[in-house]
Short mmCIF file of all heavy atoms in Angstrom, two decimals:
data_model
loop_
_atom_site.label_atom_id
_atom_site.label_comp_id
_atom_site.label_asym_id
_atom_site.label_seq_id
_atom_site.Cartn_x
_atom_site.Cartn_y
_atom_site.Cartn_z
N MET M 1 5.85 -0.30 -10.41
CA MET M 1 6.08 0.54 -9.27
C MET M 1 5.74 -0.27 -8.01
O MET M 1 4.69 -0.89 -7.96
CB MET M 1 5.20 1.79 -9.36
CG MET M 1 5.45 2.79 -8.27
SD MET M 1 4.53 4.34 -8.48
CE MET M 1 5.24 4.97 -9.97
N THR M 2 6.60 -0.23 -7.03
CA THR M 2 6.38 -1.01 -5.82
C THR M 2 5.33 -0.33 -4.93
O THR M 2 5.01 0.85 -5.12
CB THR M 2 7.66 -1.18 -4.99
OG1 THR M 2 8.04 0.09 -4.47
CG2 THR M 2 8.79 -1.77 -5.81
N PHE M 3 4.82 -1.08 -3.96
CA PHE M 3 3.84 -0.57 -3.00
C PHE M 3 4.42 0.64 -2.27
O PHE M 3 3.77 1.67 -2.13
CB PHE M 3 3.49 -1.70 -2.02
CG PHE M 3 2.39 -1.38 -1.05
CD1 PHE M 3 1.11 -1.12 -1.49
CD2 PHE M 3 2.64 -1.37 0.30
CE1 PHE M 3 0.09 -0.84 -0.59
CE2 PHE M 3 1.64 -1.10 1.21
CZ PHE M 3 0.36 -0.83 0.76
N LYS M 4 5.67 0.52 -1.86
CA LYS M 4 6.33 1.62 -1.14
C LYS M 4 6.51 2.84 -2.06
O LYS M 4 6.33 3.97 -1.63
CB LYS M 4 7.67 1.17 -0.60
CG LYS M 4 8.33 2.27 0.20
CD LYS M 4 9.06 1.75 1.37
CE LYS M 4 9.57 2.92 2.17
NZ LYS M 4 9.80 2.63 3.51
N GLU M 5 6.85 2.61 -3.32
CA GLU M 5 6.99 3.72 -4.26
C GLU M 5 5.66 4.44 -4.47
O GLU M 5 5.61 5.67 -4.59
CB GLU M 5 7.57 3.23 -5.59
CG GLU M 5 9.02 2.84 -5.50
CD GLU M 5 9.53 2.11 -6.73
OE1 GLU M 5 8.71 1.56 -7.51
OE2 GLU M 5 10.75 2.06 -6.89
N LEU M 6 4.56 3.67 -4.55
CA LEU M 6 3.24 4.29 -4.67
C LEU M 6 2.95 5.16 -3.45
O LEU M 6 2.42 6.27 -3.58
CB LEU M 6 2.16 3.22 -4.79
CG LEU M 6 2.00 2.57 -6.15
CD1 LEU M 6 1.09 1.37 -6.06
CD2 LEU M 6 1.46 3.56 -7.16
N TYR M 7 3.32 4.67 -2.28
CA TYR M 7 3.15 5.43 -1.04
C TYR M 7 3.94 6.74 -1.11
O TYR M 7 3.42 7.81 -0.80
CB TYR M 7 3.60 4.56 0.13
CG TYR M 7 3.70 5.28 1.46
CD1 TYR M 7 2.55 5.66 2.15
CD2 TYR M 7 4.94 5.55 2.04
CE1 TYR M 7 2.64 6.31 3.38
CE2 TYR M 7 5.03 6.19 3.26
CZ TYR M 7 3.88 6.57 3.93
OH TYR M 7 3.98 7.20 5.13
N GLN M 8 5.20 6.66 -1.52
CA GLN M 8 6.04 7.85 -1.62
C GLN M 8 5.45 8.85 -2.62
O GLN M 8 5.44 10.06 -2.37
CB GLN M 8 7.48 7.48 -2.03
CG GLN M 8 8.22 6.65 -1.01
CD GLN M 8 8.45 7.38 0.29
OE1 GLN M 8 8.46 8.59 0.35
NE2 GLN M 8 8.62 6.62 1.36
N LYS M 9 4.94 8.35 -3.74
CA LYS M 9 4.35 9.20 -4.76
C LYS M 9 3.12 9.92 -4.21
O LYS M 9 2.93 11.11 -4.44
CB LYS M 9 3.97 8.34 -5.97
CG LYS M 9 3.38 9.10 -7.13
CD LYS M 9 3.09 8.16 -8.27
CE LYS M 9 2.34 8.84 -9.38
NZ LYS M 9 1.95 7.92 -10.44
N GLU M 10 2.29 9.20 -3.47
CA GLU M 10 1.09 9.80 -2.88
C GLU M 10 1.46 10.86 -1.85
O GLU M 10 0.75 11.86 -1.70
CB GLU M 10 0.20 8.72 -2.24
CG GLU M 10 -0.55 7.89 -3.24
CD GLU M 10 -1.53 8.70 -4.07
OE1 GLU M 10 -2.28 9.53 -3.50
OE2 GLU M 10 -1.56 8.51 -5.29
N LYS M 11 2.54 10.64 -1.11
CA LYS M 11 2.97 11.60 -0.10
C LYS M 11 3.33 12.95 -0.72
O LYS M 11 3.24 13.98 -0.07
CB LYS M 11 4.17 11.06 0.67
CG LYS M 11 3.82 10.04 1.71
CD LYS M 11 5.02 9.48 2.42
CE LYS M 11 5.85 10.53 3.08
NZ LYS M 11 6.96 9.98 3.89
N GLU M 12 3.73 12.94 -1.98
CA GLU M 12 4.15 14.17 -2.66
C GLU M 12 2.97 15.00 -3.18
O GLU M 12 3.14 16.16 -3.49
CB GLU M 12 5.09 13.82 -3.81
CG GLU M 12 6.39 13.21 -3.35
CD GLU M 12 7.23 12.64 -4.47
OE1 GLU M 12 6.84 12.79 -5.66
OE2 GLU M 12 8.25 12.04 -4.16
N LYS M 13 1.78 14.41 -3.25
CA LYS M 13 0.61 15.12 -3.76
C LYS M 13 0.09 16.10 -2.71
O LYS M 13 0.01 15.78 -1.53
CB LYS M 13 -0.50 14.13 -4.11
CG LYS M 13 -0.22 13.30 -5.33
CD LYS M 13 -1.40 12.42 -5.64
CE LYS M 13 -1.17 11.58 -6.86
NZ LYS M 13 -2.31 10.69 -7.13
N PRO M 14 -0.28 17.30 -3.15
CA PRO M 14 -0.85 18.27 -2.21
C PRO M 14 -2.29 17.90 -1.86
O PRO M 14 -3.11 17.63 -2.74
CB PRO M 14 -0.79 19.59 -2.98
CG PRO M 14 -0.79 19.19 -4.41
CD PRO M 14 -0.13 17.84 -4.49
N ARG M 15 -2.59 17.85 -0.58
CA ARG M 15 -3.94 17.54 -0.09
C ARG M 15 -4.15 18.25 1.24
O ARG M 15 -3.19 18.60 1.92
CB ARG M 15 -4.11 16.04 0.13
CG ARG M 15 -4.03 15.20 -1.10
CD ARG M 15 -4.33 13.77 -0.78
NE ARG M 15 -4.15 12.96 -1.99
CZ ARG M 15 -4.04 11.67 -2.00
NH1 ARG M 15 -4.07 10.99 -0.88
NH2 ARG M 15 -3.88 11.02 -3.12
N ALA M 16 -5.40 18.38 1.62
CA ALA M 16 -5.70 18.95 2.92
C ALA M 16 -5.21 18.01 4.02
O ALA M 16 -4.71 18.44 5.04
CB ALA M 16 -7.19 19.18 3.06
N GLU M 17 -5.34 16.72 3.78
CA GLU M 17 -4.87 15.70 4.71
C GLU M 17 -3.46 15.32 4.31
O GLU M 17 -3.11 15.36 3.13
CB GLU M 17 -5.80 14.49 4.60
CG GLU M 17 -5.49 13.38 5.55
CD GLU M 17 -6.54 12.28 5.45
OE1 GLU M 17 -6.92 11.92 4.33
OE2 GLU M 17 -6.95 11.80 6.50
N ALA M 18 -2.64 14.93 5.27
CA ALA M 18 -1.28 14.51 4.94
C ALA M 18 -1.34 13.38 3.91
O ALA M 18 -2.10 12.42 4.09
CB ALA M 18 -0.57 14.03 6.19
N PRO M 19 -0.59 13.50 2.80
CA PRO M 19 -0.68 12.51 1.73
C PRO M 19 -0.40 11.08 2.18
O PRO M 19 -1.06 10.16 1.72
CB PRO M 19 0.36 12.98 0.72
CG PRO M 19 0.56 14.42 1.01
CD PRO M 19 0.33 14.58 2.48
N GLY M 20 0.58 10.91 3.06
CA GLY M 20 0.89 9.55 3.53
C GLY M 20 -0.27 8.94 4.30
O GLY M 20 -0.61 7.77 4.13
N VAL M 21 -0.91 9.76 5.11
CA VAL M 21 -2.06 9.30 5.89
C VAL M 21 -3.22 8.97 4.95
O VAL M 21 -3.91 7.96 5.12
CB VAL M 21 -2.48 10.36 6.93
CG1 VAL M 21 -3.78 9.99 7.62
CG2 VAL M 21 -1.37 10.56 7.95
N ALA M 22 -3.43 9.81 3.95
CA ALA M 22 -4.50 9.58 2.98
C ALA M 22 -4.27 8.28 2.22
O ALA M 22 -5.21 7.51 1.99
CB ALA M 22 -4.59 10.76 2.01
N PHE M 23 -3.01 8.02 1.85
CA PHE M 23 -2.68 6.78 1.14
C PHE M 23 -3.00 5.58 2.02
O PHE M 23 -3.63 4.61 1.57
CB PHE M 23 -1.21 6.77 0.73
CG PHE M 23 -0.78 5.51 0.04
CD1 PHE M 23 -1.02 5.32 -1.31
CD2 PHE M 23 -0.14 4.49 0.74
CE1 PHE M 23 -0.64 4.15 -1.96
CE2 PHE M 23 0.25 3.32 0.11
CZ PHE M 23 0.00 3.15 -1.24
N ILE M 24 -2.58 5.62 3.26
CA ILE M 24 -2.82 4.50 4.18
C ILE M 24 -4.31 4.29 4.39
O ILE M 24 -4.80 3.15 4.36
CB ILE M 24 -2.07 4.72 5.51
CG1 ILE M 24 -0.56 4.57 5.26
CG2 ILE M 24 -2.55 3.76 6.59
CD1 ILE M 24 0.32 4.98 6.40
N LYS M 25 -5.07 5.36 4.54
CA LYS M 25 -6.52 5.25 4.70
C LYS M 25 -7.17 4.65 3.45
O LYS M 25 -8.09 3.84 3.55
CB LYS M 25 -7.13 6.61 5.01
CG LYS M 25 -6.89 7.06 6.42
CD LYS M 25 -7.56 8.40 6.69
CE LYS M 25 -7.34 8.84 8.12
NZ LYS M 25 -7.98 10.14 8.39
N GLU M 26 -6.68 5.06 2.28
CA GLU M 26 -7.21 4.50 1.03
C GLU M 26 -6.97 3.00 0.97
O GLU M 26 -7.88 2.23 0.63
CB GLU M 26 -6.54 5.19 -0.17
CG GLU M 26 -6.94 4.63 -1.50
CD GLU M 26 -6.17 5.26 -2.66
OE1 GLU M 26 -5.39 6.21 -2.46
OE2 GLU M 26 -6.36 4.78 -3.80
N VAL M 27 -5.77 2.58 1.31
CA VAL M 27 -5.44 1.15 1.29
C VAL M 27 -6.29 0.40 2.31
O VAL M 27 -6.79 -0.70 2.03
CB VAL M 27 -3.93 0.92 1.52
CG1 VAL M 27 -3.62 -0.55 1.71
CG2 VAL M 27 -3.13 1.49 0.34
N CYS M 28 -6.48 0.98 3.49
CA CYS M 28 -7.34 0.35 4.51
C CYS M 28 -8.76 0.16 3.97
O CYS M 28 -9.37 -0.89 4.16
CB CYS M 28 -7.39 1.20 5.77
SG CYS M 28 -5.88 1.23 6.74
N GLU M 29 -9.26 1.18 3.32
CA GLU M 29 -10.62 1.13 2.77
C GLU M 29 -10.75 0.08 1.68
O GLU M 29 -11.71 -0.69 1.65
CB GLU M 29 -10.99 2.51 2.23
CG GLU M 29 -12.45 2.65 1.89
CD GLU M 29 -12.79 4.07 1.50
OE1 GLU M 29 -12.48 5.00 2.27
OE2 GLU M 29 -13.36 4.25 0.39
N VAL M 30 -9.77 0.02 0.79
CA VAL M 30 -9.80 -0.92 -0.33
C VAL M 30 -9.67 -2.37 0.14
O VAL M 30 -10.34 -3.26 -0.37
CB VAL M 30 -8.69 -0.58 -1.35
CG1 VAL M 30 -8.50 -1.68 -2.37
CG2 VAL M 30 -8.99 0.74 -2.04
N THR M 31 -8.79 -2.58 1.11
CA THR M 31 -8.48 -3.95 1.55
C THR M 31 -9.30 -4.41 2.75
O THR M 31 -9.29 -5.60 3.07
CB THR M 31 -7.00 -4.09 1.93
OG1 THR M 31 -6.71 -3.22 3.03
CG2 THR M 31 -6.10 -3.78 0.75
N LYS M 32 -9.97 -3.48 3.43
CA LYS M 32 -10.70 -3.79 4.66
C LYS M 32 -9.77 -4.30 5.75
O LYS M 32 -10.14 -5.10 6.60
CB LYS M 32 -11.83 -4.81 4.42
CG LYS M 32 -12.77 -4.48 3.29
CD LYS M 32 -13.55 -3.22 3.59
CE LYS M 32 -14.60 -2.99 2.52
NZ LYS M 32 -14.65 -1.66 2.04
N LYS M 33 -8.54 -3.80 5.74
CA LYS M 33 -7.53 -4.17 6.74
C LYS M 33 -7.28 -2.98 7.66
O LYS M 33 -7.62 -1.84 7.35
CB LYS M 33 -6.21 -4.58 6.07
CG LYS M 33 -6.34 -5.70 5.06
CD LYS M 33 -6.69 -7.01 5.70
CE LYS M 33 -6.72 -8.10 4.64
NZ LYS M 33 -7.11 -9.37 5.15
N SER M 34 -6.65 -3.24 8.80
CA SER M 34 -6.40 -2.20 9.79
C SER M 34 -5.22 -1.32 9.39
O SER M 34 -4.35 -1.73 8.61
CB SER M 34 -6.13 -2.82 11.15
OG SER M 34 -4.89 -3.50 11.14
N GLU M 35 -5.19 -0.13 9.97
CA GLU M 35 -4.08 0.79 9.71
C GLU M 35 -2.73 0.20 10.17
O GLU M 35 -1.75 0.31 9.42
CB GLU M 35 -4.34 2.13 10.39
CG GLU M 35 -3.30 3.17 10.07
CD GLU M 35 -3.62 4.52 10.65
OE1 GLU M 35 -4.80 4.93 10.61
OE2 GLU M 35 -2.68 5.17 11.15
N PRO M 36 -2.65 -0.44 11.34
CA PRO M 36 -1.37 -1.05 11.72
C PRO M 36 -0.89 -2.11 10.72
O PRO M 36 0.30 -2.22 10.45
CB PRO M 36 -1.64 -1.66 13.09
CG PRO M 36 -2.75 -0.84 13.65
CD PRO M 36 -3.61 -0.48 12.46
N SER M 37 -1.82 -2.86 10.15
CA SER M 37 -1.45 -3.86 9.14
C SER M 37 -0.83 -3.20 7.92
O SER M 37 0.22 -3.62 7.43
CB SER M 37 -2.66 -4.68 8.71
OG SER M 37 -3.13 -5.48 9.76
N VAL M 38 -1.48 -2.15 7.43
CA VAL M 38 -0.98 -1.45 6.24
C VAL M 38 0.38 -0.84 6.53
O VAL M 38 1.30 -0.92 5.71
CB VAL M 38 -1.99 -0.38 5.77
CG1 VAL M 38 -1.41 0.43 4.62
CG2 VAL M 38 -3.30 -1.03 5.36
N ARG M 39 0.55 -0.26 7.70
CA ARG M 39 1.84 0.33 8.06
C ARG M 39 2.94 -0.74 8.12
O ARG M 39 4.08 -0.48 7.73
CB ARG M 39 1.74 1.08 9.38
CG ARG M 39 0.94 2.36 9.25
CD ARG M 39 0.93 3.16 10.54
NE ARG M 39 0.15 4.37 10.40
CZ ARG M 39 0.59 5.50 9.84
NH1 ARG M 39 1.81 5.57 9.37
NH2 ARG M 39 -0.19 6.56 9.76
N ARG M 40 2.61 -1.94 8.59
CA ARG M 40 3.60 -3.04 8.61
C ARG M 40 4.03 -3.41 7.20
O ARG M 40 5.19 -3.71 6.97
CB ARG M 40 3.03 -4.27 9.33
CG ARG M 40 3.19 -4.22 10.83
CD ARG M 40 2.91 -5.56 11.47
NE ARG M 40 1.55 -6.02 11.23
CZ ARG M 40 0.49 -5.71 11.99
NH1 ARG M 40 0.63 -4.92 13.03
NH2 ARG M 40 -0.70 -6.18 11.70
N TRP M 41 3.10 -3.39 6.24
CA TRP M 41 3.45 -3.72 4.85
C TRP M 41 4.45 -2.72 4.29
O TRP M 41 5.20 -3.05 3.36
CB TRP M 41 2.21 -3.73 3.96
CG TRP M 41 1.13 -4.65 4.40
CD1 TRP M 41 1.24 -5.76 5.22
CD2 TRP M 41 -0.26 -4.56 4.07
NE1 TRP M 41 0.03 -6.33 5.41
CE2 TRP M 41 -0.92 -5.63 4.71
CE3 TRP M 41 -0.99 -3.68 3.30
CZ2 TRP M 41 -2.29 -5.84 4.59
CZ3 TRP M 41 -2.35 -3.89 3.17
CH2 TRP M 41 -2.99 -4.97 3.81
N LEU M 42 4.48 -1.52 4.82
CA LEU M 42 5.37 -0.47 4.34
C LEU M 42 6.74 -0.51 5.01
O LEU M 42 7.64 0.24 4.61
CB LEU M 42 4.74 0.91 4.55
CG LEU M 42 3.52 1.19 3.69
CD1 LEU M 42 2.77 2.40 4.21
CD2 LEU M 42 3.93 1.38 2.25
N CYS M 43 6.92 -1.35 6.01
CA CYS M 43 8.20 -1.44 6.72
C CYS M 43 9.32 -1.85 5.77
O CYS M 43 9.16 -2.75 4.96
CB CYS M 43 8.14 -2.45 7.86
SG CYS M 43 7.09 -1.95 9.20
N GLU M 44 10.46 -1.19 5.91
CA GLU M 44 11.64 -1.54 5.11
C GLU M 44 12.12 -2.94 5.46
O GLU M 44 12.30 -3.26 6.62
CB GLU M 44 12.78 -0.55 5.40
CG GLU M 44 12.60 0.79 4.76
CD GLU M 44 12.82 0.77 3.26
OE1 GLU M 44 13.53 -0.10 2.76
OE2 GLU M 44 12.28 1.66 2.61
N GLY M 45 12.33 -3.76 4.45
CA GLY M 45 12.93 -5.08 4.64
C GLY M 45 12.10 -6.05 5.45
O GLY M 45 12.60 -7.09 5.87
N ALA M 46 10.83 -5.76 5.65
CA ALA M 46 9.98 -6.66 6.43
C ALA M 46 9.26 -7.63 5.50
O ALA M 46 8.07 -7.53 5.28
CB ALA M 46 8.98 -5.85 7.25
N THR M 47 10.00 -8.58 4.95
CA THR M 47 9.42 -9.51 3.98
C THR M 47 8.38 -10.42 4.61
O THR M 47 7.52 -10.93 3.92
CB THR M 47 10.50 -10.37 3.31
OG1 THR M 47 11.23 -11.06 4.32
CG2 THR M 47 11.43 -9.53 2.46
N ASN M 48 8.46 -10.62 5.92
CA ASN M 48 7.45 -11.45 6.57
C ASN M 48 6.20 -10.64 6.91
O ASN M 48 5.25 -11.17 7.46
CB ASN M 48 8.02 -12.11 7.83
CG ASN M 48 8.50 -11.09 8.85
OD1 ASN M 48 8.74 -9.95 8.51
ND2 ASN M 48 8.65 -11.52 10.07
N CYS M 49 6.19 -9.37 6.58
CA CYS M 49 5.04 -8.49 6.84
C CYS M 49 4.33 -8.10 5.55
O CYS M 49 3.97 -6.94 5.35
CB CYS M 49 5.50 -7.23 7.58
SG CYS M 49 6.05 -7.53 9.24
N LEU M 50 4.16 -9.06 4.68
CA LEU M 50 3.46 -8.80 3.43
C LEU M 50 2.00 -9.20 3.57
O LEU M 50 1.67 -10.11 4.33
CB LEU M 50 4.09 -9.60 2.28
CG LEU M 50 5.52 -9.23 1.91
CD1 LEU M 50 6.02 -10.18 0.82
CD2 LEU M 50 5.59 -7.81 1.43
N PRO M 51 1.11 -8.53 2.84
CA PRO M 51 -0.29 -8.94 2.88
C PRO M 51 -0.46 -10.31 2.21
O PRO M 51 0.39 -10.74 1.42
CB PRO M 51 -1.00 -7.86 2.07
CG PRO M 51 0.04 -7.21 1.25
CD PRO M 51 1.33 -7.38 1.98
N ASP M 52 -1.56 -10.97 2.54
CA ASP M 52 -1.84 -12.27 1.93
C ASP M 52 -2.05 -12.11 0.42
O ASP M 52 -2.22 -10.99 -0.08
CB ASP M 52 -3.07 -12.90 2.59
CG ASP M 52 -4.31 -12.04 2.44
OD1 ASP M 52 -4.91 -12.06 1.35
OD2 ASP M 52 -4.65 -11.33 3.40
N ALA M 53 -2.03 -13.22 -0.29
CA ALA M 53 -2.09 -13.21 -1.76
C ALA M 53 -3.36 -12.51 -2.27
O ALA M 53 -3.30 -11.75 -3.25
CB ALA M 53 -2.00 -14.62 -2.30
N LEU M 54 -4.50 -12.76 -1.65
CA LEU M 54 -5.74 -12.14 -2.09
C LEU M 54 -5.68 -10.63 -1.94
O LEU M 54 -6.05 -9.87 -2.84
CB LEU M 54 -6.93 -12.70 -1.31
CG LEU M 54 -8.29 -12.10 -1.64
CD1 LEU M 54 -8.64 -12.29 -3.11
CD2 LEU M 54 -9.37 -12.70 -0.75
N THR M 55 -5.17 -10.16 -0.81
CA THR M 55 -5.04 -8.73 -0.58
C THR M 55 -4.07 -8.11 -1.57
O THR M 55 -4.31 -7.00 -2.07
CB THR M 55 -4.59 -8.46 0.88
OG1 THR M 55 -5.56 -9.05 1.76
CG2 THR M 55 -4.46 -6.99 1.16
N GLN M 56 -2.99 -8.80 -1.88
CA GLN M 56 -2.04 -8.30 -2.87
C GLN M 56 -2.73 -8.14 -4.22
O GLN M 56 -2.52 -7.14 -4.91
CB GLN M 56 -0.85 -9.25 -3.00
CG GLN M 56 0.07 -9.20 -1.81
CD GLN M 56 1.28 -10.09 -1.98
OE1 GLN M 56 1.74 -10.34 -3.10
NE2 GLN M 56 1.83 -10.57 -0.87
N GLU M 57 -3.57 -9.09 -4.60
CA GLU M 57 -4.28 -9.00 -5.88
C GLU M 57 -5.29 -7.85 -5.88
O GLU M 57 -5.43 -7.15 -6.88
CB GLU M 57 -4.98 -10.33 -6.21
CG GLU M 57 -4.02 -11.43 -6.60
CD GLU M 57 -3.20 -11.09 -7.84
OE1 GLU M 57 -3.74 -10.49 -8.80
OE2 GLU M 57 -2.01 -11.43 -7.85
N VAL M 58 -5.97 -7.65 -4.76
CA VAL M 58 -6.92 -6.53 -4.65
C VAL M 58 -6.18 -5.20 -4.82
O VAL M 58 -6.63 -4.32 -5.57
CB VAL M 58 -7.66 -6.59 -3.29
CG1 VAL M 58 -8.42 -5.30 -3.01
CG2 VAL M 58 -8.60 -7.78 -3.24
N LEU M 59 -5.04 -5.07 -4.17
CA LEU M 59 -4.25 -3.84 -4.30
C LEU M 59 -3.71 -3.67 -5.72
O LEU M 59 -3.70 -2.56 -6.26
CB LEU M 59 -3.10 -3.83 -3.29
CG LEU M 59 -3.52 -3.60 -1.85
CD1 LEU M 59 -2.36 -3.87 -0.90
CD2 LEU M 59 -4.03 -2.18 -1.67
N ALA M 60 -3.27 -4.74 -6.33
CA ALA M 60 -2.76 -4.68 -7.70
C ALA M 60 -3.84 -4.18 -8.65
O ALA M 60 -3.60 -3.30 -9.49
CB ALA M 60 -2.23 -6.04 -8.13
N ARG M 61 -5.05 -4.71 -8.52
CA ARG M 61 -6.16 -4.26 -9.38
C ARG M 61 -6.48 -2.79 -9.11
O ARG M 61 -6.69 -2.01 -10.05
CB ARG M 61 -7.41 -5.11 -9.13
CG ARG M 61 -7.46 -6.32 -10.04
CD ARG M 61 -8.74 -7.09 -9.88
NE ARG M 61 -8.49 -8.07 -8.81
CZ ARG M 61 -9.32 -8.38 -7.84
NH1 ARG M 61 -10.51 -7.83 -7.79
NH2 ARG M 61 -8.99 -9.24 -6.92
N HIS M 62 -6.49 -2.42 -7.85
CA HIS M 62 -6.81 -1.02 -7.48
C HIS M 62 -5.80 -0.04 -8.07
O HIS M 62 -6.18 1.03 -8.54
CB HIS M 62 -6.86 -0.90 -5.95
CG HIS M 62 -7.17 0.49 -5.49
ND1 HIS M 62 -8.44 1.03 -5.58
CD2 HIS M 62 -6.39 1.45 -4.95
CE1 HIS M 62 -8.41 2.27 -5.11
NE2 HIS M 62 -7.18 2.55 -4.71
N PHE M 63 -4.53 -0.40 -8.03
CA PHE M 63 -3.48 0.50 -8.52
C PHE M 63 -3.08 0.24 -9.97
O PHE M 63 -2.18 0.88 -10.49
CB PHE M 63 -2.25 0.42 -7.61
CG PHE M 63 -2.48 1.00 -6.25
CD1 PHE M 63 -2.45 0.21 -5.12
CD2 PHE M 63 -2.75 2.35 -6.08
CE1 PHE M 63 -2.68 0.74 -3.86
CE2 PHE M 63 -2.98 2.90 -4.83
CZ PHE M 63 -2.95 2.09 -3.72
N GLY M 64 -3.76 -0.70 -10.62
CA GLY M 64 -3.52 -0.96 -12.05
C GLY M 64 -2.14 -1.53 -12.34
O GLY M 64 -1.49 -1.12 -13.31
N THR M 65 -1.70 -2.47 -11.53
CA THR M 65 -0.39 -3.09 -11.71
C THR M 65 -0.49 -4.57 -11.33
O THR M 65 -1.58 -5.11 -11.28
CB THR M 65 0.66 -2.33 -10.87
OG1 THR M 65 1.94 -2.83 -11.16
CG2 THR M 65 0.40 -2.40 -9.39
N THR M 66 0.65 -5.19 -11.08
CA THR M 66 0.65 -6.59 -10.66
C THR M 66 1.11 -6.70 -9.21
O THR M 66 1.80 -5.81 -8.70
CB THR M 66 1.62 -7.42 -11.53
OG1 THR M 66 2.96 -6.97 -11.27
CG2 THR M 66 1.30 -7.31 -13.01
N ALA M 67 0.72 -7.80 -8.59
CA ALA M 67 1.15 -8.05 -7.20
C ALA M 67 2.67 -8.17 -7.12
O ALA M 67 3.28 -7.70 -6.16
CB ALA M 67 0.47 -9.31 -6.67
N ASN M 68 3.27 -8.79 -8.12
CA ASN M 68 4.73 -8.95 -8.13
C ASN M 68 5.45 -7.60 -8.19
O ASN M 68 6.51 -7.43 -7.64
CB ASN M 68 5.19 -9.84 -9.28
CG ASN M 68 4.85 -11.29 -9.03
OD1 ASN M 68 4.73 -11.72 -7.89
ND2 ASN M 68 4.70 -12.04 -10.10
N GLU M 69 4.86 -6.66 -8.91
CA GLU M 69 5.48 -5.34 -8.99
C GLU M 69 5.30 -4.56 -7.67
O GLU M 69 6.21 -3.87 -7.23
CB GLU M 69 4.90 -4.54 -10.15
CG GLU M 69 5.65 -3.25 -10.38
CD GLU M 69 5.22 -2.53 -11.65
OE1 GLU M 69 4.32 -3.00 -12.36
OE2 GLU M 69 5.81 -1.47 -11.91
N LEU M 70 4.13 -4.69 -7.05
CA LEU M 70 3.89 -4.00 -5.80
C LEU M 70 4.72 -4.55 -4.66
O LEU M 70 5.21 -3.80 -3.81
CB LEU M 70 2.41 -4.12 -5.39
CG LEU M 70 1.42 -3.22 -6.09
CD1 LEU M 70 0.01 -3.51 -5.57
CD2 LEU M 70 1.75 -1.76 -5.90
N PHE M 71 4.87 -5.86 -4.63
CA PHE M 71 5.55 -6.52 -3.53
C PHE M 71 6.65 -7.45 -4.06
O PHE M 71 6.52 -8.67 -4.02
CB PHE M 71 4.55 -7.33 -2.67
CG PHE M 71 3.46 -6.47 -2.11
CD1 PHE M 71 2.22 -6.40 -2.72
CD2 PHE M 71 3.68 -5.71 -0.97
CE1 PHE M 71 1.20 -5.60 -2.20
CE2 PHE M 71 2.67 -4.91 -0.45
CZ PHE M 71 1.44 -4.86 -1.06
N PRO M 72 7.73 -6.87 -4.59
CA PRO M 72 8.80 -7.72 -5.13
C PRO M 72 9.46 -8.52 -4.02
O PRO M 72 9.58 -8.06 -2.88
CB PRO M 72 9.79 -6.70 -5.73
CG PRO M 72 9.50 -5.43 -5.04
CD PRO M 72 8.06 -5.45 -4.63
N ARG M 73 9.86 -9.72 -4.34
CA ARG M 73 10.49 -10.60 -3.33
C ARG M 73 11.95 -10.30 -3.23
O ARG M 73 12.67 -10.01 -4.07
CB ARG M 73 10.30 -12.07 -3.70
CG ARG M 73 8.88 -12.46 -3.93
CD ARG M 73 8.14 -12.63 -2.64
NE ARG M 73 6.71 -12.88 -2.95
CZ ARG M 73 5.79 -12.74 -2.06
NH1 ARG M 73 6.07 -12.38 -0.85
NH2 ARG M 73 4.55 -12.97 -2.38
#
């Protein structure tokens, strides 16, 4: 499942906070990156806006997948 697909899936979950916002906050917390950075990673077709390799691995471990699956080239 790609990073964007995980975001879409989280948006569908019922929560007191908007699911998309909650997902972005979770990623910020896990990666220690800013909200604008995380939002850039979600941009359509923005291949130059990918997180660094270490951050990709941290996210892959957090979501139980691989960096290649989260951020396909």
Side-chain angles (χ1 to χ4, degrees):
M1 184 174 296
T2 68
F3 186 63
K4 183 143 186 156
E5 289 169 340
L6 282 169
Y7 170 73
Q8 295 296 336
K9 182 178 173 185
E10 286 297 314
K11 282 178 57 174
E12 295 170 4
K13 289 183 179 178
R15 294 185 184 164
E17 183 175 43
V21 172
F23 178 81
I24 290 170
K25 285 182 178 180
E26 176 184 355
V27 171
C28 289
E29 191 174 307
V30 168
T31 62
K32 309 295 187 226
K33 304 292 183 183
S34 69
E35 185 175 319
S37 293
V38 174
R39 289 184 181 279
R40 275 193 299 273
W41 303 338
L42 292 165
C43 291
E44 285 287 336
T47 57
N48 60 341
C49 291
L50 295 176
D52 60 79
L54 178 59
T55 302
Q56 288 183 28
E57 288 300 321
V58 168
L59 287 169
R61 270 185 271 138
H62 179 74
F63 291 114
T65 186
T66 66
N68 287 334
E69 188 172 1
L70 281 179
F71 302 98
R73 306 283 174 197

